[in-house]
Amino acid sequence: MWIQRDVELAPKPRGFHLVTGEVVDALMPQLGEVAVGIAHLFIRHTSASLTLNENASPDVRVDFETWFSDAVPDGWNEFSHTLEGADDMPAHVKASLLGPSLSLPVRDGSLALGTWQGVYLCEHRDRGGARSLVATVWGGGFAHEEPGHAPG
Amino acid sequence: MWIQRDVELAPKPRGFHLVTGEVVDALMPQLGEVAVGIAHLFIRHTSASLTLNENASPDVRVDFETWFSDAVPDGWNEFSHTLEGADDMPAHVKASLLGPSLSLPVRDGSLALGTWQGVYLCEHRDRGGARSLVATVWGGGFAHEEPGHAPG
Amino acid sequence: MWIQRDVELAPKPRGFHLVTGEVVDALMPQLGEVAVGIAHLFIRHTSASLTLNENASPDVRVDFETWFSDAVPDGWNEFSHTLEGADDMPAHVKASLLGPSLSLPVRDGSLALGTWQGVYLCEHRDRGGARSLVATVWGGGFAHEEPGHAPG
């Protein structure tokens, strides 16, 4: 069973944004029919990224922006690729540090995330605009195994 | 063919720990029946992570802890999310720098890792406790192709 | 449908190198038959890595080398694993920051990358030699869905 969808995320300000609900909604109702599988989320840009982190306190997302923009500062004077603005080259580096995709286990029709895990869209540009994802899910209808209950 | 297992890793001290054997054992004996496929390891936490690196010298793992804790220092005064301790917000950042999952090729019933590659559990908290993984393997019984021997 | 290939990349100088064409060529012509699927690229080394970033300006790749070698400097005096050279331990850290694999969506026989995305081989050693990848593609012949046109 394969599901593949284009998911468009509306423009968001620079920073880290919780988008778990938006992404899951885009995969329904078919995601609900996957007993065991993987959901793959892929961002088609080089100045924004995806990560998984704490889904509760908004302070965590603020601190992500603070740390990443300190580690890869806008307008760093060692960068040579500066024509597209002071936030462009840092955005490329941050995008590779965090990565363009997430692969998440699916179990019994849902993402098998931990209690505190949520999907972040990481917008590294000041004006990044809308962002395009490709969401792909594959899996089967086999019942998943519990530890110690492997099939014979 | 799908295998999906919960794997519980016993509490480990802060730092980087080689867990290849533990993870492979949890997937046996079914992993041995996968001729070509992928093994996906996923950690259900936001303050610990998984990475692949050198499996020989323990010094490498010590140096990982040194570098990451220098890059994202405990109690950094720019962090606002401090209620859960000086090691909490750094743990979240490190977890996203390294990532929550690994996707590893499977060939002829084994992980097709390089000679020096091993799976690290990266424990970023001082007292992180036990850590839960979801390990998922999918694949088929097709013989894999050697370079230059693509089927006609 | 499964394709799994060993791909050998010729030795490259330290730095970031665009290898999209080489990798796609190694998967042809079978990749062209995958209607919907995933291509997984995996590097079997711990001192080189793979990432996805801007495929146009060579300056971006130069700036990647500059930033990463500033963040993880050769011969950093806090490293203890120094026997294999001043560039060895930094190479391990960079390899984990960027990661050993890429999972890319496949649609209609091609990688469904964004316009500006290309695959980088990240060579972190001064003399890393040839690098081995395992490229795995899996998928099906189902027509992919457009947003809003989910099958009934």
Side-chain angles (χ1 to χ4, degrees):
Chain A
M1 178 194 295
W2 284 86
I3 307 164
Q4 192 172 80
R5 297 264 167 79
D6 292 314
V7 181
E8 195 84 2
L9 298 177
K12 291 181 172 55
R14 176 168 164 167
F16 292 73
H17 304 274
L18 199 55
V19 297
T20 321
E22 271 181 87
V23 168
V24 169
D25 286 354
L27 291 169
M28 295 300 274
Q30 286 80 2
L31 178 65
E33 295 159 22
V34 179
V36 56
I38 297 286
H40 178 258
L41 308 175
F42 179 79
I43 193 162
R44 298 177 79 180
H45 302 274
T46 62
S47 59
S49 56
L50 298 174
T51 195
L52 209 66
N53 220 284
E54 219 242 29
N55 59 17
S57 167
D59 289 349
V60 171
R61 301 192 290 278
V62 170
D63 287 352
F64 264 79
E65 174 60 23
T66 304
W67 187 85
F68 277 91
S69 289
D70 181 81
V72 197
D74 280 21
W76 189 44
N77 62 16
E78 301 287 329
F79 284 140
S80 60
H81 180 78
T82 56
L83 279 179
E84 295 174 56
D87 63 326
D88 178 62
M89 194 57 225
H92 290 308
V93 172
K94 293 169 187 172
S96 278
L97 285 171
L98 289 160
S101 73
L102 291 172
S103 295
L104 309 172
V106 177
R107 179 180 290 180
D108 295 336
S110 305
L111 300 182
L113 301 180
T115 310
W116 302 104
Q117 289 180 311
V119 177
Y120 287 12
L121 171 73
C122 317
E123 175 54 74
H124 304 304
R125 296 298 311 258
D126 289 335
R127 280 173 294 278
R131 297 300 195 173
S132 301
L133 309 189
V134 180
T136 308
V137 180
W138 61 98
F142 303 98
H144 73 274
E145 308 162 38
E146 296 298 335
H149 295 268
Chain B
M1 179 194 295
W2 284 86
I3 308 164
Q4 193 173 77
R5 297 265 167 78
D6 292 314
V7 181
E8 195 84 4
L9 298 176
K12 291 182 171 54
R14 177 168 165 168
F16 292 72
H17 304 275
L18 198 55
V19 297
T20 320
E22 271 182 85
V23 168
V24 170
D25 286 354
L27 291 169
M28 295 299 275
Q30 285 80 2
L31 178 65
E33 295 159 21
V34 179
V36 56
I38 297 285
H40 178 258
L41 309 175
F42 178 79
I43 193 161
R44 299 178 78 182
H45 302 273
T46 62
S47 58
S49 56
L50 297 174
T51 195
L52 209 66
N53 220 285
E54 219 243 29
N55 59 18
S57 167
D59 289 350
V60 171
R61 301 192 291 277
V62 170
D63 287 352
F64 264 79
E65 174 59 24
T66 304
W67 187 85
F68 277 91
S69 289
D70 182 82
V72 197
D74 280 21
W76 189 44
N77 61 17
E78 301 288 329
F79 283 140
S80 60
H81 180 76
T82 56
L83 279 178
E84 296 174 55
D87 63 327
D88 178 62
M89 194 57 224
H92 290 308
V93 172
K94 293 169 187 172
S96 279
L97 285 171
L98 290 160
S101 74
L102 290 172
S103 295
L104 309 172
V106 177
R107 179 180 291 181
D108 295 336
S110 306
L111 300 182
L113 302 181
T115 310
W116 302 104
Q117 289 180 311
V119 177
Y120 287 12
L121 171 73
C122 317
E123 176 55 72
H124 304 304
R125 297 298 310 259
D126 290 333
R127 280 172 295 279
R131 297 300 195 174
S132 301
L133 309 188
V134 179
T136 308
V137 181
W138 61 98
F142 304 98
H144 74 273
E145 309 162 39
E146 296 297 335
H149 294 270
Chain C
M1 177 194 295
W2 284 86
I3 306 164
Q4 192 173 77
R5 297 265 167 79
D6 292 314
V7 181
E8 195 84 3
L9 298 177
K12 290 181 172 55
R14 177 169 165 167
F16 292 72
H17 304 275
L18 198 55
V19 296
T20 321
E22 270 181 86
V23 168
V24 169
D25 287 352
L27 291 170
M28 293 302 272
Q30 285 81 3
L31 178 65
E33 295 159 23
V34 178
V36 56
I38 297 286
H40 178 257
L41 309 175
F42 179 79
I43 193 162
R44 299 177 79 181
H45 302 273
T46 61
S47 58
S49 55
L50 297 174
T51 196
L52 210 66
N53 220 286
E54 219 243 30
N55 59 16
S57 167
D59 290 348
V60 171
R61 301 193 290 279
V62 169
D63 286 352
F64 264 79
E65 174 60 24
T66 304
W67 188 85
F68 278 91
S69 289
D70 181 81
V72 197
D74 279 20
W76 189 44
N77 62 16
E78 300 287 329
F79 283 140
S80 60
H81 180 77
T82 56
L83 280 179
E84 296 174 56
D87 64 326
D88 177 62
M89 194 57 225
H92 290 309
V93 172
K94 293 169 187 172
S96 279
L97 284 171
L98 289 160
S101 74
L102 291 172
S103 295
L104 309 172
V106 177
R107 179 179 289 181
D108 295 336
S110 304
L111 300 182
L113 302 181
T115 309
W116 303 104
Q117 290 180 310
V119 176
Y120 288 12
L121 171 73
C122 318
E123 176 55 72
H124 304 303
R125 296 299 309 261
D126 290 333
R127 280 173 293 279
R131 297 299 195 172
S132 301
L133 309 188
V134 179
T136 308
V137 180
W138 61 98
F142 303 97
H144 74 274
E145 308 163 39
E146 295 298 334
H149 294 270

